[in-house]
Amino acid sequence: MRFQLLGPLEVVDDDRPLPVNGSKQRAALGFLLLHVNSVVATSTLLKALWPVEMPTTGRKMLQNAVSGLRQLLSPSGYDSDSTVLLTHAPGYLLRAPSDSVDLNRFHDKVNDGRKKLADGDWLQAASTLRDALALWRGPVLADLVELGIDWPVLTTVRNARLAAIEDYVEAEFACGRYGEVMHELETWVEAEPLRERLCGQLMRALYHNGRQADALGVYRRLRTRMIDGLGLDPGRELQELEQAILNQELVIEPSRPVPAESRRPVEVTPLPTRPRQEPSGQIAELKWVSVVVVMTRFGQDVRDAGPEHVDAELQHVAATIREETEQLGGIIGGTIGPLWLALFGPLRCREDDASRAVRAALAIRDRLLHPTGRTSTLTTAVAVATGDALVRRHQSDAGEPPMVTGAVLDRCLRLLNRIPDNEVRVCAETRSASETEIAYATAESHDEGSPAVTVLPRQSHAPSTAPFVGRDRELGMLLGALNQVDTRSRPHLVTVLGEPGIGKSRLIAEFHSAMSARARFVTGRCSRFGTPGTLAALADCVRSYAGISDVDSAERANRKLTETVTDLTGDGARSEWLLSHLRGLLGLGTDAEVSRDSFPAWRQFLDAASGEEPLVLVIEDLHLGEDLLLDFIDHLTGNTGLFPILVVVTARTELLDRRPTWAGGKAGATTITLDPLSDEDITRLLAILHDGRSTGRALRSCLSHIGGNPLFAGAFARILPENAVVEAAGHGPPVPQLVHRTVASRLDSLPTATKAVLVDAAVIRSGIRAEGVSAVGGQAEDEVSGALEHLERHGLLTRVRTREPGVTTYEFRHKLIRDIAYLTIPQAVRADKHQRAATWVEVQPGRDALLLEYHRSKSVTATVVPVQREAELIPSARVGS
């Protein structure tokens, strides 16, 4: 299937044009094709169809148009290689092979031609650019333009054609063919009389063909139009060309192609490039990391032991530390003698790095203390410390481990010196950052007043006690989905998407509380800690239904499973068949492998479980799930059988990066995207959580940093001062560590180049444009533009309207993202980036206002609140199993 935009809109399949009926359907298709393979928000599409005033039925009309387009593009259903129109939050995604759209082929040919032009291959450049221009059958989307469509992107496409024409003319000139293109030039200049580069090319062509007077006439006509219409003279380059023609100084010979940087009508002097502070290929960032230091000592005199024995022990230690560290997402930082260093967070920060570090420390200690099948001759001490560090790493994230420096390493080593044999200690910062997942109990020993530590069971998740605010519409959608499942007895999938802390689990808890009397709820959660088993979350659901707990022995668990399956299906071959597959899923036997071959058995178990009452299957954090789990959920909810099961999954938007077509086009599927709460809802939530112990002004000061996130609201409420310290001049509220870790983790999930653009944008702070970010960081402007669009799609930036045509400006979605991104820049680098930003602002229109805003906002930076004072009273914590 081919799409033609360079002229009237046409859709061709096997050389047969397909009818696209209705003006709105044609307009919707045209706009989606202009953004093919990119998500287009519903609001953007509605604005494109009705730029002035949308009718009350506009959204329904758009849905009808999309439905018609789906029938046109995929009449026989979805195929991975076919063109398909998908519903993709927050709008629609038209997926098609890039070369099926003539506009994309045009761009590819133009880029190829320009490369040949720059390389001096003028004949091939002219041929390639000529082929690109031959793709045009008329004005872009000419039929839609006749109906009144005038999207800004159409102007961009028209300008791209004109730029290609100018490059083609330069290639022809370089070949000495001035006369061959003169007629075309006259036609193009007549259509674009104010295009200075085209006019200059026509003047050169006329002069080279002995028509000096006509060449000067072109200049006089252009100058008259510009003075009368714009009050401007032609640019310096054109003025110099006129003088050269008047003085007959223009050399009549094949001219060399114009350099890429001089192809714009208006020359812009590039900002001076300053040397970077870091060596080429390296990145330096300030990060919050957790450090694990393991010290091993031989428990007996090994002077008489052979070197093979010592080496075998040390090899075992190295393998143990590496396996346990990497399983929990850490990296090995190196070793010096009996000291081993493991790092959590230097490459990619996670909000639970401290918990991961403590779990790794416990696992390392336990494995070295009780080795399987051998006698231990070693004693072990493990220290865990958390704090700020300067991380230097290679840009490719490959090869050598990152270099980590900072007081956190010294603190960890000091802590290690006070640890008895075979114990684990953590610093106060680590304890504060991991208390939600590590249970701290008072120790019987009085050694430095240190408490003992135990790890909570993997499935222990405390119920949410936060108030339920601002999610009534989303709760109603879940209730409606369950009613539909109960009425129609058909499976239905609900995907709840949102950023960390936005309230996905809280919404599920409220749904469970409201409907537990009407349906059976079973819940599983995809583990962050690399739990063995690709379907651990589904296994949790089966255990939940069968009443199997973590403390049950394998024999008891097997008995409970057998009783449950027998109650559902009775004795017989079917029961044994189901049990064989379910035992494999739960790790209770080896009768069946965990594979796609077991999908029918698992589905039939859930089918039987929903026989007496509707079944609600909840899978949380699906973005962490393995592909096999995602495939099974797709298989389960894509089945058209009659069984009332509602599958509710929660996930971050990374799920759509892995599976762009997740639930797309499925009849029994709903996607709920949790947007940030309104300021009114957050204010009400803060007032409830803080119980009226602070002023309204102090509460309101947190709003811009909370960004509508309920988790952040709770964290700010806990540290909100009774006296309005936040009202101190020039300072915003302190940022809790939980909030800082969560946002930093989200930023680290971005591609390296995209995150670098976000950090450079944080230096500019307001009125972010690709040109400015490019000036700050030195990246190519087109790469920056793509990264800014990526950041907008992921909810980190928002696009703002400006009065300048063709200029795209962004702002941070909320100040917290901006401040935490800024805090990753080392002090040594900040000054250079600020100098670049100030230099760029200096040359912008309205520079005085921009400079005032830039210097005002530069001095306001969030501070991260230290750990609670109670934690500071405890210098370390002892960890026990």
Side-chain angles (χ1 to χ4, degrees):
M1 187 173 291
R2 292 180 291 111
F3 303 93
Q4 298 180 351
L5 310 183
L6 306 181
L9 176 62
E10 290 184 6
V11 180
V12 180
D13 189 16
D14 292 333
D15 296 327
R16 177 176 58 90
L18 299 181
V20 185
N21 300 320
S23 60
K24 295 306 177 187
Q25 192 174 102
R26 294 181 67 81
L29 177 59
F31 195 85
L32 290 168
L33 285 170
L34 288 169
H35 303 83
V36 67
N37 296 320
S38 297
V39 177
V40 177
T42 301
S43 58
T44 302
L45 196 49
L46 290 170
K47 186 68 175 177
L49 298 183
W50 292 281
V52 179
E53 183 177 359
M54 184 183 75
T56 55
T57 59
R59 191 172 292 270
K60 182 63 176 177
M61 293 170 68
L62 173 59
Q63 292 171 351
N64 292 337
V66 168
S67 177
L69 289 174
R70 283 177 173 153
Q71 290 297 321
L72 174 74
L73 301 177
S74 305
S76 57
Y78 170 74
D79 181 83
S80 59
D81 297 326
S82 66
T83 300
V84 60
L85 176 54
L86 302 171
T87 300
H88 190 302
Y92 299 96
L93 169 66
L94 178 57
R95 292 187 59 187
S98 179
D99 61 357
S100 66
V101 183
D102 59 356
L103 177 58
N104 291 344
R105 296 199 304 275
F106 167 76
H107 285 310
D108 291 342
K109 286 181 177 293
V110 169
N111 291 335
D112 188 28
R114 285 173 176 161
K115 184 178 184 303
K116 290 181 171 62
L117 188 62
D119 293 340
D121 190 358
W122 301 322
L123 284 172
Q124 286 299 318
S127 176
T128 303
L129 290 168
R130 190 186 305 116
D131 292 342
L133 295 170
L135 294 172
W136 287 75
R137 300 168 292 111
V140 57
L141 293 177
D143 54 331
L144 297 180
V145 173
E146 286 296 319
L147 296 176
I149 291 296
D150 188 21
W151 301 321
V153 67
L154 298 182
T155 301
T156 302
V157 177
R158 295 185 197 109
N159 288 334
R161 183 192 187 189
L162 290 171
I165 289 172
E166 292 164 345
D167 288 336
Y168 162 68
V169 171
E170 287 298 334
E172 293 285 10
F173 283 0
C175 298
R177 297 197 289 247
Y178 292 91
E180 288 82 346
V181 294
M182 191 166 56
H183 176 70
E184 293 173 288
L185 271 172
E186 289 175 331
T187 303
W188 290 328
V189 168
E190 185 178 352
E192 295 289 335
L194 295 179
R195 190 89 176 181
E196 290 193 37
R197 188 180 176 200
L198 273 177
C199 290
Q201 288 173 329
L202 178 57
M203 291 169 63
R204 290 162 59 194
L206 291 168
Y207 179 86
H208 278 270
N209 282 275
R211 298 171 58 182
Q212 179 179 346
D214 291 336
L216 295 172
V218 171
Y219 178 85
R220 285 193 295 270
R221 288 193 296 273
L222 172 63
R223 184 173 184 273
T224 300
R225 288 190 182 98
M226 292 187 66
I227 291 176
D228 292 344
L230 305 174
L232 298 173
D233 277 316
R236 178 178 298 178
E237 182 179 346
L238 217 57
Q239 293 180 32
E240 292 174 353
L241 177 60
E242 182 211 24
Q243 288 298 318
I245 294 174
L246 283 170
N247 298 329
Q248 297 186 353
E249 295 173 351
L250 196 63
V251 179
I252 303 180
E253 62 181 13
S255 58
R256 300 187 61 82
V258 178
E261 61 270 14
S262 65
R263 289 174 183 166
R264 297 182 181 180
V266 180
E267 290 293 332
V268 178
T269 303
L271 293 173
T273 302
R274 296 172 177 265
R276 289 184 175 272
Q277 299 292 332
E278 295 299 323
S280 176
Q282 280 199 350
I283 298 175
E285 291 181 291
L286 293 174
K287 285 197 167 189
W288 187 258
V289 300
S290 290
V291 178
V292 179
V293 177
V294 182
M295 180 170 64
T296 58
R297 291 187 290 264
F298 283 95
Q300 60 187 21
D301 194 345
V302 293
R303 284 178 295 180
D304 297 331
E308 294 87 353
H309 171 74
V310 174
D311 180 71
E313 289 289 344
L314 295 180
Q315 290 293 336
H316 172 64
V317 171
T320 298
I321 295 174
R322 182 174 299 278
E323 289 170 9
E324 297 298 337
T325 298
E326 293 180 351
Q327 181 177 349
L328 288 162
I331 61 172
I332 299 300
T335 177
I336 302 178
L339 297 181
W340 308 77
L341 177 65
L343 303 169
F344 291 80
L347 294 181
R348 178 182 175 182
C349 170
R350 297 179 177 89
E351 60 262 37
D352 58 352
D353 277 329
S355 298
R356 291 171 181 264
V358 174
R359 289 174 182 269
L362 284 167
I364 291 168
R365 189 276 311 270
D366 291 345
R367 281 187 59 182
L368 295 180
L369 187 60
H370 305 290
T372 303
R374 57 189 295 165
T375 302
S376 175
T377 60
L378 294 171
T379 60
T380 305
V382 188
V384 186
T386 301
D388 287 317
L390 177 63
V391 179
R392 290 186 176 89
R393 60 185 174 86
H394 288 284
Q395 194 167 9
S396 61
D397 290 340
E400 300 178 5
M403 180 183 294
V404 178
T405 56
V408 64
L409 294 169
D410 180 69
R411 192 183 330 131
C412 195
L413 291 173
R414 289 175 182 272
L415 184 61
L416 187 68
N417 292 330
R418 302 195 300 268
I419 301 178
D421 288 344
N422 299 325
E423 286 199 9
V424 176
R425 293 284 180 91
V426 303
C427 71
E429 288 83 355
T430 301
R431 174 181 174 176
S432 176
S434 61
E435 281 183 319
T436 58
E437 296 183 11
I438 307 296
Y440 289 80
T442 303
E444 294 182 1
S445 71
H446 299 285
D447 180 38
E448 298 183 7
S450 303
V453 180
T454 56
V455 178
L456 288 170
R458 181 176 56 83
Q459 289 182 309
S460 296
H461 301 288
S464 176
T465 58
F468 187 71
V469 174
R471 299 293 186 205
D472 293 335
R473 181 182 68 86
E474 291 84 356
L475 178 60
M477 294 176 69
L478 284 172
L479 297 175
L482 181 58
N483 289 333
Q484 183 178 356
V485 165
D486 193 11
T487 302
R488 299 183 180 181
S489 291
R490 292 187 181 278
H492 193 92
L493 170 64
V494 178
T495 305
V496 182
L497 294 174
E499 65 185 58
I502 201 66
K504 301 182 292 295
S505 296
R506 184 66 185 88
L507 174 63
I508 300 303
E510 191 71 15
F511 176 51
H512 187 180
S513 176
M515 302 304 290
S516 58
R518 286 189 49 193
R520 177 76 174 267
F521 279 73
V522 291
T523 302
R525 182 185 295 268
C526 298
S527 174
R528 304 186 306 276
F529 301 113
T531 302
T534 58
L535 288 155
L538 181 60
D540 288 346
C541 293
V542 175
R543 290 191 185 95
S544 174
Y545 188 89
I548 301 171
S549 67
D550 286 344
V551 297
D552 285 336
S553 64
E555 180 182 356
R556 182 175 175 81
N558 197 16
R559 185 169 63 252
K560 287 183 177 181
L561 180 64
T562 302
E563 292 171 355
T564 300
V565 172
T566 302
D567 290 341
L568 291 175
T569 63
D571 292 324
R574 182 189 179 201
S575 176
E576 288 301 321
W577 176 70
L578 286 175
L579 282 170
S580 67
H581 288 279
L582 292 175
R583 289 186 185 116
L585 175 66
L586 271 58
L588 299 175
T590 57
D591 295 346
E593 295 183 357
V594 177
S595 67
R596 288 172 176 80
D597 295 337
S598 297
F599 283 6
W602 300 333
R603 185 189 63 78
Q604 286 195 32
F605 171 77
L606 295 173
D607 185 358
S610 63
E612 295 183 359
E613 59 183 341
L615 181 68
V616 180
L617 181 72
V618 179
I619 304 289
E620 297 217 51
D621 295 332
L622 187 64
H623 57 282
L624 300 173
E626 298 286 345
D627 287 335
L628 190 61
L629 177 60
L630 273 64
D631 292 341
F632 174 68
I633 293 175
D634 194 49
H635 164 84
L636 178 66
T637 55
N639 192 283
T640 57
L642 295 175
F643 60 102
I645 179 170
L646 176 64
V647 180
V648 182
V649 301
T650 67
R652 300 181 186 177
T653 53
E654 293 96 295
L655 175 64
L656 299 183
D657 292 334
R658 290 177 56 190
R659 295 284 181 99
T661 61
W662 178 256
K666 192 177 290 188
T670 303
T671 299
I672 301 174
T673 301
L674 297 186
D675 295 321
L677 295 177
S678 65
D679 286 352
E680 292 76 11
D681 287 333
I682 290 295
T683 301
R684 184 155 55 97
L685 184 59
L686 283 172
I688 296 171
L689 292 172
H690 206 247
D691 197 22
R693 288 176 289 141
S694 189
T695 65
R697 181 175 179 181
L699 292 172
R700 289 191 299 273
S701 68
C702 295
L703 288 178
S704 62
H705 284 78
I706 291 172
N709 190 300
L711 177 69
F712 297 176
F716 273 97
R718 286 191 291 273
I719 59 97
L720 200 61
E722 294 186 13
N723 298 320
V725 177
V726 294
E727 298 174 10
H731 295 283
V735 179
Q737 284 290 355
L738 171 63
V739 177
H740 185 277
R741 294 196 309 270
T742 303
V743 175
S745 171
R746 188 179 179 194
L747 301 187
D748 266 4
S749 69
L750 297 168
T752 301
T754 304
K755 182 187 175 184
V757 168
L758 184 74
V759 170
D760 291 336
V763 176
I764 297 177
R765 305 185 73 84
S766 182
I768 300 160
R769 302 175 183 177
E771 180 186 357
V773 177
S774 176
V776 172
Q779 305 97 319
E781 191 171 330
D782 57 343
E783 295 177 0
V784 171
S785 296
L788 292 174
E789 292 176 0
H790 179 93
L791 294 167
E792 181 193 19
R793 289 196 301 272
H794 282 68
L796 298 168
L797 299 178
T798 58
R799 194 175 303 207
V800 296
R801 293 184 176 181
T802 63
R803 296 182 179 179
E804 300 178 59
V807 176
T808 304
T809 305
Y810 300 88
E811 299 286 350
F812 281 90
R813 206 194 73 185
H814 57 78
K815 295 178 181 178
L816 193 60
I817 297 172
R818 179 192 69 189
D819 289 347
I820 291 178
Y822 180 80
L823 287 173
T824 65
I825 308 174
Q827 292 282 356
V829 181
R830 289 180 190 173
D832 177 68
K833 288 185 178 291
H834 278 299
Q835 180 61 47
R836 289 165 171 258
T839 304
W840 174 74
V841 171
E842 283 275 6
V843 300
Q844 300 307 302
R847 56 177 296 275
D848 294 337
L850 284 172
L851 279 171
L852 179 63
E853 170 63 19
Y854 169 71
H855 288 296
R856 184 193 66 79
S857 64
K858 186 173 68 171
S859 63
V860 181
T861 303
T863 56
V864 181
V865 70
V867 296
Q868 298 177 352
R869 291 182 179 273
E870 304 89 81
E872 291 175 352
L873 298 177
I874 305 172
S876 65
R878 190 178 69 206
V879 186
S881 55

